[in-house]
């Protein structure tokens, strides 16, 4: 099979398609013939050497796939060969075939395409967990979603729309604001040219919001915290501000790390605010929780309430261009790789 390797730390040019032996499913495992694989910002960070959990280079990354089961190991009764499934994987997804435990291969609804299937797991699980498990989003609340036109961002907008009366403020580059509105964001904000903190404050009559979803990090976490109403929660789940160019800069990293706020339990108590973090990869040992989230998401898909928005699809040979599109702020929704 072919797989996209990160051959060394660096820009998109370090990606290379290599031929490797097909993996063989062991007892209790199935093999998926991958038809589409999701590209996530963490893959970009891994390529740059900014993702602490990434496997040792040379490595194949990729957290999610959709495809057809083409071989099963001993003792597996379902899913059977030929089943259309989606699966989250802990790295190795940017490959022609992946092996997963049989119960990690989730049958896809018949009306779901492989592209949609590969765009669901990471983005929607992250948004769902952040909004509902951590943020306890409820009727009439106000939410600020950063990177609102990104993969997780659009998933969050669609999920906010499932709760009546939720007001959504979304930051994104100006060219993407029409899509934000289409996806249910009432207040798109061009955060690259405006002070979003002042804008949210003004739009809310000084009250701020109940929930902030922030994958920007650094000083933005301070702003998000300041924008919280009493009882509000800042959910941190990424640190894009570390990645300002195609390659890692230790100076940028040092500056950003210095701007990270330090929250004391006493301050949180005095302010009536909360701060929580989300790392899907570190929930790998909580399969019941993730499975329940995924079932809820598949239910919403069947009801037509969520629809993964695919930005673009690149062949494995074009993986560098796919990384560039995601990192270059060009994408709206999900970037995919196809073998
Ligand atoms: N903790 C977790 O479990 C978890 C799981 C999934 C994703 N995440 C995190 O969630 C974030 C979103 O992930 P995603 O895969 O959906 O990516 P994404 O949001 O689609 O990423 C691309 C978009 O991010 C925005 N952006 C903001 N700062 C950027 C920067 N410094 N460089 C490049 N783009 C920047 C750009 O849009 P605008 O210019 O329009 O803002 C760009 O189009 C990432 O930080 C990712 O690491 C975390």
């Amino acid at each position: 099979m072919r797989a996209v390797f990160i051959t060394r730390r660096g820009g998109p040019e370090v990606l290379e398609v290599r031929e490797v032996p097909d993996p063989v499913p062991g007892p209790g495992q199935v093999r998926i013939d991958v038809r589409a694989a999701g590209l996530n910002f963490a893959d970009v960070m891994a390529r740059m050497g900014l993702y602490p959990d990434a496997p040792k280079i040379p490595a194949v990354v990729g957290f999610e796939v959709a495809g057809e089961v083409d071989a099963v190991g001993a003792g597996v009764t379902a899913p059977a060969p030929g089943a259309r499934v989606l699966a989250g994987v802990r790295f190795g997804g940017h490959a022609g075939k992946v092996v997963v435990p049989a119960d990690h291969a989730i049958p896809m609804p018949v009306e779901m395409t492989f592209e949609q299937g590969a765009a669901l797991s990471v983005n929607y699980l992250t948004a769902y967990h952040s909004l509902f498990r951590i943020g306890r989003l409820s009727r009439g609340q106000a939410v600020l979603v950063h990177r609102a036109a990104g993969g997780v961002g659009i998933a969050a907008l669609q999920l906010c729309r499932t709760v009546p009366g939720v007001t959504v403020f979304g930051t994104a580059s100006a060219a993407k604001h029409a899509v934000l509105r289409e996806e249910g964001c009432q207040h798109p904000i061009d955060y690259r040219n405006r002070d979003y903190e002042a804008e949210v404050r003004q739009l809310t009559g000084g009250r701020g919001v109940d929930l902030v979803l922030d994958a920007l990090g650094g000083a933005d976490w301070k702003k998000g915290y300041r924008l919280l109403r009493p009882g509000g929660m800042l959910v941190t789940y990424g640190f894009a501000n570390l990645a300002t160019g195609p390659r890692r800069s230790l100076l940028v990293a040092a500056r950003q790390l210095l701007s990270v706020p330090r929250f004391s339990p006493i301050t949180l108590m005095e302010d009536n605010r909360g701060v929580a973090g989300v790392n899907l990869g570190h929930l790998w040992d909580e399969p019941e929780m993730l499975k329940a989230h995924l079932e809820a998401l598949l239910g919403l898909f069947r009801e037509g309430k969520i629809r993964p928005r695919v930005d673009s699809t690149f062949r494995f040979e074009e993986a560098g261009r796919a990384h560039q599109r995601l990192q270059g702020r060009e994408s709206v929704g999900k970037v995919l790789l196809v073998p």
Side-chain angles (χ1 to χ4, degrees):
M1 70 167 185
R2 287 158 355 111
V4 180
F5 276 80
I6 300 177
T7 57
R8 56 184 194 284
R9 199 175 65 214
E13 71 283 355
V14 304
L15 299 168
E16 200 177 290
V17 180
R18 291 182 181 171
E19 189 72 37
V20 289
D22 286 358
V24 178
Q29 295 181 324
V30 300
R31 187 173 69 195
I32 302 171
D33 181 42
V34 175
R35 301 299 168 79
L39 183 67
N40 287 287
F41 208 75
D43 304 323
V44 168
M45 301 283 267
R47 191 205 73 222
M48 296 173 76
L50 287 171
Y51 193 67
D53 292 345
K56 217 168 143 263
I57 293 172
V60 179
V61 293
F63 290 97
E64 57 194 334
V65 299
E68 237 174 65
V69 173
D70 77 343
V72 300
V76 174
T77 50
R84 300 167 74 252
V85 295
L86 59 81
V89 287
R90 193 126 163 77
F91 309 109
H94 296 166
K97 305 208 183 251
V98 301
V99 163
V100 298
D103 61 351
H104 287 207
I106 310 293
M108 297 198 306
V110 278
E111 64 275 29
M112 185 181 274
T113 64
F114 288 126
E115 284 75 16
Q116 289 172 328
L120 192 91
S121 303
V122 174
N123 291 163
Y124 283 79
L125 278 175
T126 305
Y128 188 94
H129 185 75
S130 301
L131 288 169
F132 299 132
R133 168 82 190 204
I134 304 294
R136 311 274 173 195
L137 180 66
S138 58
R139 185 181 279 269
Q141 290 193 323
V143 184
L144 169 61
V145 179
H146 284 299
R147 304 172 71 167
V152 178
I154 287 182
L157 300 186
Q158 293 180 0
L159 289 169
C160 282
R161 200 142 59 166
T162 65
V163 182
V166 168
T167 305
V168 183
F169 304 82
T171 67
S173 296
K176 305 172 186 172
H177 286 192
V179 172
L180 258 54
R181 284 200 187 85
E182 206 180 292
E183 296 287 359
C185 169
Q186 296 93 335
H187 302 287
I189 300 174
D190 176 11
Y191 72 120
R192 298 179 67 196
N193 294 304
R194 320 263 309 232
D195 176 357
Y196 70 82
E197 186 183 358
E199 202 147 325
V200 171
R201 217 175 276 295
Q202 189 234 322
L203 288 165
T204 57
R207 293 193 65 218
V209 295
D210 299 288
L211 202 52
V212 176
L213 300 197
D214 189 323
L216 293 172
D220 287 292
W221 285 334
K222 286 186 189 149
K223 291 186 179 186
Y225 182 80
R226 289 197 296 257
L227 277 173
L228 293 176
R229 292 175 183 172
M233 174 84 80
L234 165 67
V235 185
T236 69
Y237 62 102
F239 203 159
N241 290 337
L242 285 178
T244 48
R247 273 165 281 280
R248 180 171 81 165
S249 155
L250 291 178
L251 190 65
V252 168
R255 254 198 229 123
Q256 284 297 331
L257 288 168
L258 283 173
S259 65
V260 171
R262 297 199 175 10
F263 298 107
S264 129
I266 299 174
T267 320
L268 298 178
M269 176 174 69
E270 299 300 327
D271 293 347
N272 274 303
R273 292 172 180 155
V275 179
V278 170
N279 186 325
L280 210 56
H282 293 185
L283 287 175
W284 206 243
D285 296 327
E286 298 287 342
E288 295 310 318
M289 188 197 297
L290 293 183
K291 222 168 175 174
H293 290 354
L294 202 50
E295 270 161 22
L297 287 165
L298 290 174
L300 290 170
F301 179 87
R302 285 195 188 91
E303 290 169 38
K305 293 190 172 152
I306 58 170
R307 273 289 169 277
R309 188 173 190 122
V310 174
D311 170 78
S312 47
T313 304
F314 292 88
R315 288 179 294 115
F316 275 7
E317 292 76 12
E318 306 169 313
R321 280 182 51 210
H323 275 235
Q324 244 159 3
R325 184 158 177 86
L326 186 62
Q327 194 177 6
R329 300 175 182 268
E330 296 162 44
S331 55
V332 175
K334 188 74 179 178
V335 177
L336 296 171
L337 295 175
V338 291

